[in-house]
Amino acid sequence: MLLGVNIDHIAVLREARKINDPDPLDAVSLVKRAGADQITIHLREDRRHINDMDALRIIENAQLPINLECAIDSEIIDTVIEMNPHRITLVPEKREEVTTEGGLDLITNFQTIDDISKRLKKENIELSVFIDPNMFQIKMAKSLNADWIELHTGLYSNIYAMLFSNLKNTNHSIKELDFPRDILHKKLDDALKELSKSSKLADELGIKVAAGHGLNYQNVKAITSIPEIIELNIGQSIIARSVFTGFECAVKEMIELCKN
Ligand code: PXP
């Protein structure tokens, strides 16, 4: 299984103070040293975390393949093609959302994505589309010549959190989460089956399968048991854990400096 580490949240932390620290570029060598396979970053239209300069510096200094996520907006597409990353993952984007909600609809956006696909082929940039696990979307991905699909695991992750972590609030618009536990168990099972079925179909069609969103140290295991999923892109949970695994060391270093 390949692991792409999404480092957007390092820039989120920097933007909270609007200074230079922490720099997401500093994460690239650590991700490589830890043994992961790819860096994932999302250049949002509102540049709320990763900005153009981050993306350029990360791509230019890449010691790993860079998977650049972006919306299908024409201006941002021009910008990211110019940056020449290894892969571009097309995602839906709404300004008011906290994070990417739901997959991209390849049916209603077919013509726009088809034009983007042709441009990426010319530039030798891999195309991935972030979609919900749905048969029609996967067939569309094939028609669009996508090299990869990335399956949205948000529904699975949210149901898992409701069942096992008492998640009360969710960004995902799933009203079902108020259901009793036995129904939630069934829904979790169904969500996994959909991910598995979709992965199989994509694999049969010759499309490489990635997955991501909301995956963490508790819920990732079941996803790794789907053999056709060959890559995971994970951000929030890794950055969240690193705050605590690195915290003690950071405090100790400051204590040393404070000694007189
Ligand atoms: N994959 C895609 C396409 C995403 O948009 C995101 C979130 O930016 C992720 C993976 C990572 O999700 P998380 O931060 O929940 O692990």
Side-chain angles (χ1 to χ4, degrees), residues 165-210:
S165 322
N166 281 330
L167 177 72
K168 295 277 180 283
N169 223 331
T170 170
N171 294 319
H172 208 281
S173 51
I174 27 174
K175 293 158 195 75
E176 300 98 304
L177 293 181
D178 289 331
F179 279 87
R181 292 188 72 79
D182 56 334
I183 306 234
L184 281 179
H185 274 289
K186 163 94 174 52
K187 290 205 168 283
L188 188 69
D189 204 40
D190 289 348
L192 271 173
K193 280 191 186 129
E194 280 306 315
L195 286 163
S196 175
K197 225 166 62 183
S198 300
S199 304
K200 269 197 183 67
L201 175 61
D203 186 55
E204 279 162 21
L205 294 174
I207 309 172
K208 287 177 269 193
V209 185

Side-chain angles (χ1 to χ4, degrees), residues 87-197:
R87 186 190 311 169
I88 288 177
T89 297
L90 301 177
V91 300
E93 200 175 294
K94 287 190 234 122
R95 291 210 171 205
E96 64 276 15
E97 71 193 358
V98 177
T99 182
T100 317
E101 295 169 13
L104 186 61
D105 186 349
L106 304 185
I107 299 164
T108 53
N109 295 298
F110 188 88
Q111 200 47 60
T112 309
I113 301 172
D114 197 40
D115 293 344
I116 296 170
S117 173
K118 287 178 180 132
R119 287 182 69 188
L120 297 193
K121 287 277 163 312
K122 260 195 224 145
E123 302 292 334
N124 252 327
I125 300 171
E126 285 187 331
L127 168 66
S128 179
V129 284
F130 186 49
I131 54 174
D132 288 322
N134 169 298
M135 299 291 145
F136 295 112
Q137 297 293 340
I138 287 153
K139 287 177 188 160
M140 280 296 141
K142 178 68 186 170
S143 308
L144 287 163
N145 270 318
D147 302 286
W148 290 82
I149 53 163
E150 180 171 338
L151 292 175
H152 197 310
T153 50
L155 178 65
Y156 160 77
S157 302
N158 278 319
I159 298 173
Y160 190 101
M162 288 300 284
L163 268 169
F164 303 113
S165 322
N166 281 330
L167 177 72
K168 295 277 180 283
N169 223 331
T170 170
N171 294 319
H172 208 281
S173 51
I174 27 174
K175 293 158 195 75
E176 300 98 304
L177 293 181
D178 289 331
F179 279 87
R181 292 188 72 79
D182 56 334
I183 306 234
L184 281 179
H185 274 289
K186 163 94 174 52
K187 290 205 168 283
L188 188 69
D189 204 40
D190 289 348
L192 271 173
K193 280 191 186 129
E194 280 306 315
L195 286 163
S196 175
K197 225 166 62 183

